[in-house]
Structure formats: structure tokens, C-alpha cells
Amino acid sequence: MSVTSFALLQSLVTPVLSELRTELGTDQRTVTWVMTAYLLSASICTPLIGRIGDRVGKRRMLVGALAGLSVGSLVAGLAGSIEVMIAGRVIQGVGGGVLPLAFGIVRDELPARRAPGAIGLLASLGAVGGGIGIVLAGPIVNVLGHHWLFWLPAAVTGVTAALAHMIVPDSPGRRAGTISLAPALLLSGWLASLLIAVSQGNTWGWASAPTLGLLLGAVVLGAAWITVERRSSSALIDPAMMRLTAVWTTNAVSLLVGFGMYAAYAFLPQFAQTPHATGYGLGASITESGIMLLPMAVTMFSAGLLSGTLVRSTEPRTVVVVGCLISATATAALALAHDEKWMHYVANAVMGVGTGLVLACLSNLVVAAVPQEQTGAASGVNANVRTIGGSLGTAVMAGIVTASPRADGLPREAGYANGLLALAASLVAAAFLALLIPRAARGGRGRDRHHDKAEHALEGAP
């Protein structure tokens, strides 16, 4: 419930940005900060809250993250100006820690044979929640108004926080030590610099001074963060953990998966809403374009349920490879054949199968690769990497789609086709990169020859 609520808020506002622009009396450039502010806040909070949960207790931080999500939703729902709306979205970003905390709680509480299936289910619920958000956005706005995009989640997350406090057991394993302030500030700094540059690059210009300055700042702050983390006796994200072969390869695959999958989700509704007058558009309404993604949500959830069985019977990396290729095939097919609505429905359903398999197995791989007390930090970083990949993919897709617009300002058909083919190529690259992930015992931990040495380092062993 907590994972689904967070995922819903990631996608609910995507199809209705134009509606929010009109309702709040702002311009196109400013309204994009409704998405950017949430993305920034969630990206910074996800690894921080996951790591703090490893230290002070996952239940406590889960309740806090859900409470922040509820308060932020309430603020956004009451917003009468774009400034208040953006502030509410920033507060909502605290909920980014829900996913790594949920993974950690599952690993703490369930036996090893049941954990992969449960983690796969949580990962699928997160993805499905994002799809359902796009489906529900149009009907909610049409029937109730845009305020209810936030008031409904505020109520749901508030109840979920209370239930989590009463039902979720406290963490049995915690890592001793304190949270260093310097690594947290440096991590926040380079993430913010990178994501602002990526999300605003198409608007400001990729060669503009603000964009280049932020990218340079991200490099400098990132280098400083790595240096501080290496020297810290209480690292926020332990470098030894990040050097595990199973961890860095899974994160690299997650980056490409985020690039291909998340960018596709962001543009598929726009593609379907393109007017018939263009010669290729379907002229779908906001509600209809969301419904066209419903098959994806259904197959994604089903594949996530199936992933636990597949992980126990074969190598997780094999499932990742197959899932990436399935999604790549569906994305490329839609790029080449998209004249009829049924083509979109079929492609979206097939894409959901690949997405459900990949996300579930990637989450399992990174969780299984680290000691129990590092689960929150490791899964938080993995979720963040996918978010960064999605930001990069969305920026690239936007650049391709809008590179050569028609006289009326709408994208050309070739723009969408070429963009989707680029996303499909990134998923094929992710499939090949997944072959580098160490072989894993069926449903177990990867056979990484560096693992034992790194785990001793994580535990402070000589």
C-alpha cells in the first residue's frame, strides 16, 4: 500500500500538467517544476532515508516517510499558486524512501525462500502504481478537479502511516554508528545539480551557461562526495558496498532500464493524444490515453508475481536479459507500427511483461548482494539510479521528438518513431550489460568473488 501510494504520486500529475498550468495561472516553463521539484526531492531523499532506516530502524523511517508524503499531498491539494504547489511537491519527495525501506523490511521479516517473491511483488506494485496513476489522472480531474489528485493520496498515505506504525515490526538488524552530515550534503548537492541540468537542458539549451555550470558542479561535488565517503568512518553509502560486482553491474543495468522504460511511459500518453490532423495521431483524450496504458499495468503486475517463481528456478540475470529484450521488442514495434489503437494496446501489454520481470529481478539482485544491514542504502541507490536514467531518457526523448517540429508546432511522426527506437536500443544495451551480473544461486546471493572480502570490510573485520 505504501509503495503503490508513492508510485501513484509520481505519475498522477504527468498527463495533466497543461490543466495545472491553466488552473494555477502559470506558464509552460514554470509548471514543469511541479515534476522537477518532486523528482529532485525524491532523488535526494531516497538514499538518505534508506540509509538512515538502516541505522535507526526501518519502521520508524517508513512511518515518517509516509507522513511526509501525506503532508506534502495536503499542501499541494490546497495550493492556490504554483509556488505553493511546488513546495508541496518537494515535501512529497520525502516518500522516496518508501521503496528501499519496504525492501529492507521484507528481507528482515521473511525467510530467504520467500523474500525474492515478495520483493518482486513490491517492485511490481511500484511500477503498477505509476501506470495506474496515469490511468486515473484524467477521470479524477474531469469529475472532481485537480485538487483531488493530491487530497485522495493524502488520505490514503495518512491511513497507511498509521497502519505501518501498528503492524510493521521493528527492525531486528541495525548498523551502529552515526550519519555524517558532509556526505549527505555533498550527495544532495551533486544529485540536485545533475537532475536540474538534465530536466531543464532542453529548455535552457544544452550549451547554455546554467546547464554547463550545473553539470560541472555535479562532477566537482560528486568527486568530493566520493573522496569524503572513502575517508569517512561512518560512510553514508559505503564505497566497499558499491564496488561489489553484483551491485555496480545491477546499478548500471538499472540506469539503462530507467532510460528506456521510464521515458517511454512519459511520452506514450502524449503520443496517443496527438491530434488526428497530424496524420499519425490517435486524438485520444487524457482519460483515453491513460486507459491505453492499463494493459501495461495488468501485465506488469502479473509478471512481477511470476518473477519469484522464475528466480527460484533459473538465474535472476537471465530473467533480466529476457525482460529487457521483451520490452525492447515492444518499444521498437510501436515505433514502426502505431497507426491503430490496438497496436498501442498490444505493445503496451507486452512492454508491461518485460518491465515487470526486469524491475522485480533487479531489486532482488541488489538486495541479495549486500549484508542485511545495508539493504536500505543499496536499494535506495538502485532506485535512484533508475530515476536518474529516467531523467536522462526523458531529456533525450524530448530532444529527439521536438528536434524538427511541424509548422503548427506539433512533433513529426519521425520524431516519436526515432525516439522510441533510441529507447529500444538502450534496453538492448541493458540486456547485454546484464550478462556481466555475476551468476547467482537460484533465488540466492550472487557468486561474486569480491563479496566475502567486501562484506568483511563493511562489517569492520580485519
Side-chain angles (χ1 to χ4, degrees):
M1 194 171 179
S2 59
V3 171
T4 305
S5 299
F6 170 70
L8 277 170
L9 283 167
Q10 284 185 298
S11 58
L12 268 176
V13 301
T14 303
V16 296
L17 284 178
S18 59
E19 179 82 12
L20 292 178
R21 181 190 64 198
T22 302
E23 291 287 340
L24 298 174
T26 186
D27 55 39
Q28 183 63 40
R29 178 178 297 186
T30 304
V31 80
T32 60
W33 280 96
V34 173
M35 291 299 301
T36 303
Y38 182 76
L39 175 68
L40 284 172
S41 178
S43 298
I44 292 169
C45 290
T46 297
L48 291 179
I49 291 178
R51 190 70 192 96
I52 295 171
D54 288 334
R55 295 287 177 90
V56 305
K58 300 180 184 68
R59 181 185 65 178
R60 184 185 304 177
M61 293 309 300
L62 178 64
V63 173
L66 288 168
L69 198 58
S70 183
V71 171
S73 299
L74 185 61
V75 171
L78 294 171
S81 67
I82 188 64
E83 292 80 10
V84 177
M85 173 69 74
I86 291 172
R89 295 287 282 172
V90 170
I91 299 171
Q92 284 179 330
V94 174
V98 164
L99 199 59
L101 291 170
F103 288 156
I105 290 169
V106 165
R107 188 180 184 186
D108 288 345
E109 300 303 324
L110 294 184
R113 63 183 179 81
R114 293 181 56 195
I119 291 173
L121 177 60
L122 285 176
S124 296
L125 284 173
V128 169
I132 292 175
I134 294 176
V135 173
L136 294 178
I140 290 175
V141 170
N142 291 337
V143 176
L144 301 174
H146 76 273
H147 297 285
W148 286 91
L149 291 173
F150 306 103
W151 287 343
L152 289 174
V156 171
T157 51
V159 171
T160 304
L163 290 174
H165 177 71
M166 293 185 292
I167 296 173
V168 175
D170 206 4
S171 304
R174 302 182 188 180
R175 195 173 184 198
T178 59
I179 302 294
S180 299
L181 181 60
L185 292 176
L186 289 170
L187 175 65
S188 302
W190 78 258
L191 278 175
S193 298
L194 174 63
L195 290 172
I196 291 175
V198 168
S199 61
Q200 300 298 311
N202 285 321
T203 301
W204 295 343
W206 290 101
S208 67
T211 303
L212 293 177
L214 284 169
L215 291 174
L216 177 61
V219 171
V220 173
L221 291 173
W225 173 69
I226 292 172
T227 301
V228 170
E229 289 282 54
R230 284 177 174 174
R231 296 176 179 176
S232 175
S233 59
S234 182
L236 180 68
I237 299 173
D238 202 309
M241 175 190 74
M242 298 304 297
R243 288 197 299 270
L244 291 174
T245 307
V247 173
W248 75 258
T249 52
T250 302
N251 285 338
V253 172
S254 293
L255 181 74
L256 289 174
V257 166
F259 186 101
M261 291 181 179
Y262 291 175
Y265 303 157
F267 278 86
L268 287 176
Q270 296 181 35
F271 194 10
Q273 291 171 26
T274 304
H276 289 292
T278 59
Y280 69 89
L282 301 178
S285 64
I286 293 176
T287 299
E288 187 179 13
S289 65
I291 292 174
M292 292 174 73
L293 293 180
L294 190 56
M296 182 187 295
V298 173
T299 57
M300 196 183 301
F301 181 70
S302 301
L305 289 177
L306 179 63
S307 67
T309 302
L310 293 176
V311 165
R312 288 191 292 270
S313 61
T314 188
E315 287 186 352
R317 71 170 185 174
T318 302
V319 181
V320 173
V321 171
V322 172
C324 286
L325 293 178
I326 290 173
S327 289
T329 300
T331 305
L334 191 58
L336 301 174
H338 46 254
D339 296 333
E340 302 290 337
K341 290 182 180 180
W342 69 263
M343 296 176 178
H344 287 252
Y345 280 104
V346 171
N348 291 339
V350 176
M351 204 180 301
V353 173
T355 303
L357 293 175
V358 170
L359 294 184
C361 288
L362 286 176
S363 300
N364 268 301
L365 282 165
V366 76
V367 167
V370 300
Q372 184 173 353
E373 66 274 11
Q374 288 279 313
T375 302
S379 54
V381 170
N382 185 253
N384 232 24
V385 166
R386 283 202 302 274
T387 299
I388 293 171
S391 301
L392 293 170
T394 301
V396 170
M397 182 73 173
I400 295 174
V401 169
T402 61
S404 180
R406 294 155 41 100
D408 56 9
L410 292 170
R412 297 183 184 277
E413 181 178 11
Y416 280 111
N418 292 336
L420 289 171
L421 288 174
L423 300 183
S426 74
L427 293 170
V428 172
F432 280 103
L433 187 58
L435 296 174
L436 298 178
I437 298 174
R439 290 181 179 274
R442 293 181 179 181
R445 177 172 289 174
R447 296 190 190 102
D448 185 346
R449 65 188 180 88
H450 301 294
H451 184 276
D452 291 340
K453 180 179 179 180
E455 185 168 332
H456 281 299
L458 287 170
E459 295 171 351

